[in-house]
Amino acid sequence: MLRQALVGLLLTVSVWAQGARHFTFHYGFTVKDVPAGQKVRVWIPSAHSDDFQEVKIISALGDLSLKKNQESKYGNEMYYGEEGKASKADFHFEILYDVVRHERVVLGRSIPRLSDFTLDKKIAKRDTAADTRVPVTGTPAEVAVKVAAKKTPLEKARAIYDYVLEDMTYDEPGHGDALNALQTKKGDCTDFNSLLISMARSQGIPARFAIGFSLPADKTSAEISEYHCWAEFFEPQHGWVPLDLVEGLRQEVKRDYFFGALDDNRVEFSMGRDLKLNPAQDGEALNYFVYPYVEVGGKKYENVELVFSFADVSGAN
């Protein structure tokens, strides 16, 4: 509800939807070797509908009864299930989605508008504040001053985008840590976006982190081995402007496109960093939320086997 209200308010006439991709997405996992008698709690991120993707849940099945909840910071949706004393060693879960994902183009289109966009003060404060691994002071801020010596927020954001692409090399696994990215000059999409968001926020530009899964453009079905993430920044003339640093790196000829646009080969699951789930987890706030989060005996439990896949819907455009 919160996410949909914000999107509807801020992303109206500034966005052109071009292509679209229709597919099913299978989100499956097994929590393995749970000690008998231990309390087990499971939180599962849920894909959501918004202006750029239409999501229908075909089925949501699991070895625990699942309840749908939202967290309060960004309105991310999730399933939650628990058992006071584990009655089995393995717990299996499967969610099957039907998704229509639309291309999102914000920049590069001449679209009439009546006035500049405005951002709620609480959201602006949230999206210019530091996260645990995304500082807004110190070295990233100092670099941002040198890199983004431009007049407008849009020019500043573009300068930071270009700096990150030119300064960093893609490498896994990542930490989602802006300082580490700046020091090592390498990382995965979480690191690329952490650095960009850190630098943008230090310049007073609201910026936020989005995460989900990327679909190969050249396949009609496949297993998905890892997540993908991107970012958005707020600019008064256009509202929330998306960008995809890693795709801009991988597809150099589309570097300009991915500053201000997202293709339809993706599905978004959640937004934001330092997330407290609903109900609250016993462990620390999550760095990001795209994989299931599990606690056994009040502690984070990582023996989880993931199985994700997609298949294009036959006959869809």
Side-chain angles (χ1 to χ4, degrees), residues 36-274:
Q38 290 288 310
K39 183 175 182 179
V40 56
R41 306 174 75 198
V42 178
W43 294 259
I44 310 167
S46 178
H48 57 274
S49 291
D50 58 25
D51 285 354
F52 315 109
Q53 60 184 30
E54 300 151 26
V55 176
K56 296 179 182 178
I57 298 168
I58 298 173
S59 60
L61 306 173
D63 289 334
L64 296 175
S65 177
L66 297 175
K67 179 182 179 182
K68 197 76 173 286
N69 291 328
Q70 283 185 306
E71 54 83 35
S72 60
K73 188 174 183 180
Y74 282 90
N76 294 310
E77 299 178 7
M78 68 197 73
Y79 288 96
Y80 174 75
E82 69 171 59
E83 187 168 80
K85 294 184 178 180
S87 57
K88 55 171 64 181
D90 295 347
F91 291 81
H92 182 68
F93 300 87
E94 286 185 88
I95 302 176
L96 183 62
Y97 297 96
D98 179 280
V99 181
V100 178
R101 176 73 196 196
H102 298 276
E103 181 187 16
R104 176 182 174 189
V105 180
V106 175
L107 300 182
R109 294 288 186 271
S110 179
I111 303 172
R113 57 187 173 80
L114 297 178
S115 62
D116 282 355
F117 291 90
T118 59
L119 191 60
D120 181 88
K121 290 182 180 180
K122 290 183 179 179
I123 299 173
K125 182 178 180 180
R126 179 196 68 191
D127 289 334
T128 52
D131 292 318
T132 300
R133 302 187 189 190
V134 183
V136 296
T137 58
T139 308
E142 294 168 3
V143 174
V145 170
K146 298 176 182 178
V147 169
K150 305 288 183 178
K151 293 183 179 180
T152 71
L154 188 61
E155 290 170 337
K156 290 176 183 287
R158 180 59 197 245
I160 294 169
Y161 173 84
D162 288 337
Y163 170 81
V164 174
L165 288 181
E166 292 165 5
D167 198 56
M168 288 190 64
T169 302
Y170 189 86
D171 188 44
E172 295 181 345
H175 303 278
D177 189 310
L179 282 174
N180 185 73
L182 197 57
Q183 292 166 359
T184 64
K185 299 186 183 300
K186 63 182 181 179
D188 68 4
C189 65
T190 59
D191 300 280
F192 276 65
N193 287 292
S194 293
L195 181 54
L196 179 139
I197 292 170
S198 176
M199 293 174 67
R201 288 179 176 179
S202 76
Q203 288 285 302
I205 301 172
R208 60 192 187 186
F209 174 91
I211 192 165
F213 298 92
S214 180
L215 280 57
D218 59 347
K219 294 182 179 180
T220 59
S221 64
E223 291 190 356
I224 304 295
S225 61
E226 60 187 5
Y227 62 76
H228 182 60
C229 53
W230 50 96
E232 301 177 0
F233 67 92
F234 184 82
E235 193 272 329
Q237 292 187 349
H238 299 89
W240 285 107
V241 179
L243 56 87
D244 192 324
L245 283 156
V246 170
E247 288 302 323
L249 182 70
R250 290 172 175 164
Q251 303 182 56
E252 189 172 351
V253 295
K254 296 184 72 175
R255 179 165 165 171
D256 290 342
Y257 169 86
F258 283 110
F259 180 79
L262 298 176
D263 60 27
D264 54 1
N265 300 313
R266 68 189 66 223
V267 56
E268 182 178 313
F269 268 70
S270 67
M271 187 171 281
R273 310 286 292 274
D274 291 352

Side-chain angles (χ1 to χ4, degrees), residues 291-313:
Y291 294 149
Y293 176 75
V294 181
E295 291 184 345
V296 173
K299 297 181 180 179
K300 182 179 179 180
Y301 191 76
E302 296 186 333
N303 190 1
V304 180
E305 183 179 86
L306 306 173
V307 181
F308 306 138
S309 63
F310 87 98
D312 285 335
V313 174

